[in-house]
Amino acid sequence: MKIKTNKINSANAQIEAKIPKEIIDANVEKIAKKLTKTASVQGFRKGKVPVNVVKKQYGERLVQDAEAEALREVLNRGLDELKIAMSSLIGEPNISNFVKNADSIDVTVKIAMRPEINLENYKDMVDAVAKPVISDEDIEKRLEKLADGQGKFVDLKKKRAAKVGDSAIIDFEGSIDGKLFEGGAAKEFALVLGSNQFIPGFEDQVVGMKIEEEKVIKVTFPESYGSDKLAGKDAEFKVTLHNIQEKVKVEIDDAFAAKLLAGQDDKSLENLKAQIKIQLENEALAKLYNEELKPTLLEKFVTKLIFDLPEFVVEQEIDVSLNKKASMMSEDEIKELRESADKLETLRETFREDAEKSVRATFIIDALATAENVRVEENEVMQTIYYEAMQMGQDPRLAYDKYKNAGYLPAIQMSMVEDKVLTQILNSKIKEA
């Protein structure tokens, strides 16, 4: 058997071979002999089936198995010549050429290896991160927000008109062109004025109403409203205000802090302020990381860390982008691409640069995760999906199964790894303000 190898670069190689017919025939004979010991053929005892009967019984399957064994030998010998370990391969070897001749088979096998990425100085690429400055005013605002959340609504001691911040207890009945619409009515509904819970303009018109006052409120549903039947429509609401409640202000003191710090040894207001400061710092950092530093840092890594990419991985990424584009195209546009290989190839190439960046970023994150000893286990992915589902009022188990069945879990896990590893690298560069 003649074998020719070519290591194209550190991530791609090619093996060409000419497999003589004699090797295929010998493999057929060897496989057939093995089958004589296990084959079940009517009229013969198990283990006593003649070779020629096995060949007749299994025919083309024997040839296919013989060719597969020859291909494995081609791959093994090629990898030995290239000095490439099987464990370093990515994906399945791609048989790009397989031509049967009268006396031989010409075959070309393309293989891809995990890229070699030099991360020796990667931390030098990361700029220092200034720790966010949290002012006393920021802490006081958060305290006031927490105190407001602890406040309770009580009936007015002295009757007055409704104002922003009050809880208005109302009946309402909505109609469009004089006809009531589904979901447009309620009795004794507690509406906090200024909460923007209702359609824009509704709460503003409740402000100023007095107890037992009736009023017709006119509003227009937003064009982006969730119901097509209501979006963009003018509506009238008959509103009756039954009661007005105002929120009792909670004093911000040690007693207030003790409620929020239940279970902790130090329940003082000073400790609460210290914890709020840390929380605000973390929130500010998260915002800075997600909106600015992480995208910038990853782009810097992609630009500066140069290495060879496995061709088939890039091609797969291009195909994903192409399929996404095709899903938004008209039937005529798709037909035009099917009838013109040149136009299809031109369109494919428009995705190559972004595909290479995406693949490069994926391998970089993978290498950085190893360097930083960052892992995301399957149970972490499950917990994240469960938490987000509960936040949206969905069934966590159904949400997880939906992602799993759609094959999205690896992508979610990779996204979490990216977030975790970039956060860890940036955290190592934080300096005090």
Side-chain angles (χ1 to χ4, degrees):
M1 184 190 302
K2 293 182 179 179
I3 289 181
K4 179 183 176 183
T5 60
N6 176 27
K7 191 168 185 180
I8 300 168
N9 53 41
S10 62
N12 301 279
Q14 183 170 289
I15 304 168
E16 295 179 24
K18 183 178 284 291
I19 306 172
K21 185 175 182 298
E22 292 79 15
I23 289 180
I24 302 299
D25 292 341
N27 286 349
V28 168
E29 194 71 22
K30 181 173 62 175
I31 296 169
K33 284 182 179 179
K34 285 184 179 179
L35 278 173
T36 61
K37 300 175 182 178
T38 58
S40 296
V41 179
Q42 191 173 1
F44 295 92
R45 284 184 299 159
K46 194 170 185 178
K48 299 295 183 179
V49 185
V51 172
N52 63 323
V53 174
V54 170
K55 288 180 180 179
K56 186 176 180 181
Q57 175 85 1
Y58 292 95
E60 185 60 27
R61 177 184 160 185
L62 284 176
V63 175
Q64 290 173 357
D65 289 347
E67 291 172 351
E69 188 166 320
L71 284 172
R72 282 193 290 272
E73 185 181 353
V74 168
L75 179 62
N76 290 334
R77 285 181 55 182
L79 291 176
D80 286 343
E81 286 190 19
L82 290 164
K83 294 181 172 55
I84 296 173
M86 185 75 75
S87 59
S88 68
L89 300 187
I90 294 179
E92 294 293 326
N94 176 31
I95 301 172
S96 60
N97 183 50
F98 190 84
V99 179
K100 289 186 178 184
N101 305 306
D103 59 350
S104 65
I105 299 175
D106 292 329
V107 62
T108 302
V109 181
K110 291 185 176 181
I111 56 176
M113 293 83 75
R114 184 169 295 281
E116 299 171 3
I117 307 175
N118 182 3
L119 293 178
E120 186 178 350
N121 300 314
Y122 75 91
K123 286 193 175 180
D124 294 339
M125 302 181 198
V126 187
D127 296 328
V129 179
K131 192 173 185 179
V133 177
I134 304 301
S135 67
D136 291 341
E137 184 182 354
D138 295 327
I139 296 172
E140 289 301 323
K141 284 182 180 178
R142 178 58 60 87
L143 276 171
E144 288 171 7
K145 186 176 181 180
L146 290 170
D148 185 65
Q150 294 287 315
K152 294 181 180 180
F153 285 102
V154 297
D155 293 341
L156 295 175
K157 292 180 179 178
K158 183 178 181 181
K159 290 186 178 181
R160 58 167 171 77
K163 63 181 182 180
V164 173
D166 287 340
S167 176
I169 313 303
I170 61 173
D171 293 347
F172 61 87
E173 188 176 72
S175 62
I176 294 177
D177 297 329
K179 294 182 180 180
L180 301 179
F181 57 86
E182 187 178 353
K187 296 285 187 181
E188 296 189 354
F189 186 92
L191 174 63
V192 178
L193 303 180
S195 64
N196 298 318
Q197 186 178 353
F198 274 24
I199 310 159
F202 187 100
E203 294 171 29
D204 294 339
Q205 296 178 64
V206 176
V207 171
M209 289 182 66
K210 296 179 180 179
I211 294 175
E212 299 307 334
E213 180 181 349
E214 293 185 1
K215 185 176 184 180
V216 175
I217 290 177
K218 297 181 179 182
V219 293
T220 301
F221 281 91
E223 293 289 346
S224 59
Y225 196 73
S227 170
D228 292 336
K229 294 180 180 179
L230 302 178
K233 298 289 180 64
D234 293 329
E236 290 187 352
F237 285 86
K238 182 182 177 181
V239 177
T240 301
L241 177 61
H242 291 301
N243 194 15
I244 300 171
Q245 294 181 324
E246 61 183 350
K247 185 176 283 188
V248 177
K249 187 176 181 181
V250 174
E251 290 296 323
I252 300 175
D253 52 19
D254 284 339
F256 167 70
K259 289 182 180 178
L260 297 183
L261 298 175
Q264 296 189 28
D265 293 333
D266 186 353
K267 297 182 177 64
S268 67
L269 180 59
E270 287 307 308
N271 183 36
L272 178 59
K273 289 181 178 180
Q275 293 195 26
I276 288 175
K277 183 177 182 181
I278 293 172
Q279 184 182 51
L280 290 174
E281 286 175 346
N282 290 336
E283 289 174 5
L285 270 180
K287 189 173 186 294
L288 178 64
Y289 282 4
N290 294 327
E291 294 180 3
E292 183 180 339
L293 298 186
K294 285 181 184 176
T296 301
L297 180 57
L298 186 55
E299 181 67 26
K300 184 182 288 188
F301 284 147
V302 168
T303 302
K304 293 191 175 184
L305 295 174
I306 304 303
F307 51 91
D308 298 319
L309 299 176
E311 290 178 6
F312 91 91
V313 180
V314 175
E315 295 301 323
Q316 284 180 344
E317 189 70 17
I318 291 174
D319 288 338
V320 169
S321 299
L322 182 62
N323 290 334
K324 186 177 180 180
K325 176 71 174 178
S327 69
M328 298 183 287
M329 296 172 70
S330 67
E331 291 184 10
D332 289 340
E333 289 173 320
I334 293 175
K335 182 180 178 182
E336 187 178 353
L337 290 176
R338 285 174 178 164
E339 294 174 351
S340 175
D342 289 341
K343 286 184 178 180
L344 177 60
E345 185 58 29
T346 299
L347 179 59
R348 285 188 90 259
E349 287 304 306
T350 62
F351 301 114
R352 184 169 296 280
E353 183 177 352
D354 285 343
E356 289 179 347
K357 284 184 177 180
S358 177
V359 172
R360 192 177 301 279
T362 298
F363 282 116
I364 288 172
I365 291 298
D366 187 54
L368 288 172
T370 300
E372 292 283 328
N373 195 29
V374 167
R375 291 187 299 275
V376 172
E377 305 297 343
E378 186 177 350
N379 68 315
E380 292 181 67
V381 178
M382 179 182 288
Q383 288 170 5
T384 298
I385 294 174
Y386 271 40
Y387 177 77
E388 291 182 356
M390 288 188 289
Q391 290 288 96
M392 298 174 67
Q394 299 175 350
D395 184 314
R397 185 73 232 181
L398 290 178
Y400 179 80
D401 289 342
K402 181 181 178 181
Y403 285 122
K404 185 176 182 179
N405 295 334
Y408 292 153
L409 294 188
I412 294 173
Q413 186 176 34
M414 189 63 196
S415 177
M416 291 174 65
V417 169
E418 177 181 321
D419 180 71
K420 205 170 182 179
V421 73
L422 292 179
T423 296
Q424 185 164 302
I425 292 171
L426 289 168
N427 282 345
S428 70
K429 291 290 184 171
I430 290 178
K431 64 177 182 179
E432 295 292 334

